[in-house]
């Protein structure tokens, strides 16, 4: 079951800091088939439905070249998630574990990440499979899948450092 | 070369929106060997130096169970990056491509992501290899590597949807 606002047995919440430290801009919107948190996948699947990632102005030009990557890392803002849980019980069975040991949407900074499979680019819309978020979720970033990308900039000393 | 504030041949910048849409809390700080952007790796390596991720109060309890995961996804705030570039020329050679086709730190929401190899947990410090950021970088999130994590919460209808 998806939580609404309850705290479950074994869970722990903290007081959120009164101020924030950094600001996000919503650069687009993700259109998916899921309009209720009761329907949304827990994890996206590579053969899941095609979803539409709409890019807002003035960011459209930043799409130049994304069509070359078979997979994209997509970051989005889980806008309905509570942020104050440090221990969570996803199965609601009295046992809990730390938020950083879970991929639950409830986290201090509710940023979702997925590796999506590219279907195509049409104007300011990127078509992908593999999403797991609600319809209307704000977009934060798109990057090439790390395993498909090699830096174009010349290497730096740190690139050769082992230890 | 790492950019300071110049715009290079072929690049394009936009006016940033006057307001932000979401707020981040810095939940920790990443300690690395790199104190200059001229030294920092372009991409972390699994045999790179051990780095220390310090978790601030009140988030320490959220570490419960992270020691079970061999690899962690780490999200951090690239606090020195410019945010207004839509076309970039990493090689500074007159050719440019879109920000979303690059893993450059310069992006509308400068969130870095890496897959780090866990070395150990000591109190409120997570020791990892594979980082690529400056010493002092603000931490946003830690999650289990997606390939090592199975949801604990019961599946939902969307988990079975293909298309």
């Amino acid at each position: 079951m998806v939580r609404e606002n309850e705290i479950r047995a074994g869970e722990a919440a903290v007081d959120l800091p009164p101020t924030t430290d950094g600001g996000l801009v919503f650069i687009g919107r993700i259109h998916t088939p899921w309009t209720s948190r009761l329907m949304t996948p827990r994890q996206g699947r590579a053969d899941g439905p095609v979803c539409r990632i709409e890019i807002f102005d003035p960011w459209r030009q930043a799409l130049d070249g994304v069509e070359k990557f078979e997979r994209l890392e997509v970051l989005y803002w889980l806008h309905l998630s509570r942020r104050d849980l440090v221990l969570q019980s996803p199965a609601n069975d009295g046992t809990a574990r730390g938020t950083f040991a879970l991929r639950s949407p409830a986290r201090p900074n509710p940023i979702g990440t997925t590796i999506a499979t590219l279907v195509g680019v049409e104007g300011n819309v990127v078509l992908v499979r593999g999403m797991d978020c609600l319809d209307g979720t704000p977009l934060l970033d798109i990057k090439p899948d790390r395993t498909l990308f090699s830096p174009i900039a010349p290497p730096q000393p740190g690139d050769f450092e082992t230890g």
Side-chain angles (χ1 to χ4, degrees), chain A:
Chain A
M1 192 65 177
V2 169
R3 83 175 55 244
E4 292 295 339
N5 285 305
E6 79 280 11
I7 301 270
R8 299 169 178 165
E11 293 190 334
V14 297
D15 289 332
L16 288 174
T19 56
T20 54
D21 306 301
L24 295 167
V25 291
F26 296 165
I27 62 169
R29 189 178 289 119
I30 304 175
H31 302 276
T32 76
W34 305 294
T35 54
S36 155
R37 285 193 285 176
L38 299 176
M39 304 300 287
T40 308
R42 301 289 187 187
Q43 282 191 326
R45 44 190 298 164
D47 60 352
V50 176
C51 298
R52 297 172 60 251
I53 304 178
E54 173 196 0
I55 307 293
F56 297 153
D57 282 332
W59 308 110
R60 184 176 170 157
Q61 216 175 351
L63 285 175
D64 184 62
V66 295
E67 71 282 355
K68 297 194 183 87
F69 296 96
E70 194 184 332
R71 292 185 304 277
L72 298 169
E73 183 176 353
V74 183
L75 276 61
Y76 38 101
W77 187 241
L78 301 160
H79 56 300
L80 298 183
S81 299
R82 63 185 300 160
R83 302 175 66 168
D84 60 348
L85 295 179
V86 287
L87 291 178
Q88 300 184 45
S89 182
N92 203 358
D93 60 359
T95 68
R97 62 184 78 186
T99 294
F100 303 146
L102 293 168
R103 294 185 65 91
S104 157
R107 25 206 342 114
N109 292 300
I111 299 169
T113 70
T114 197
I115 303 295
T117 308
L118 181 70
V119 174
V121 180
E122 295 176 358
N124 70 326
V125 173
V126 185
L127 301 166
V128 296
R129 297 182 195 272
M131 301 307 297
D132 57 11
C133 59
L134 272 179
D135 187 44
T137 295
L139 178 71
L140 298 180
D141 200 6
I142 297 178
K143 311 178 196 273
D145 177 321
R146 77 187 71 246
T147 65
L148 301 176
F149 181 77
S150 298
I152 296 159
Q156 299 203 131
D159 284 304
F160 306 102
E161 230 173 286
T162 59

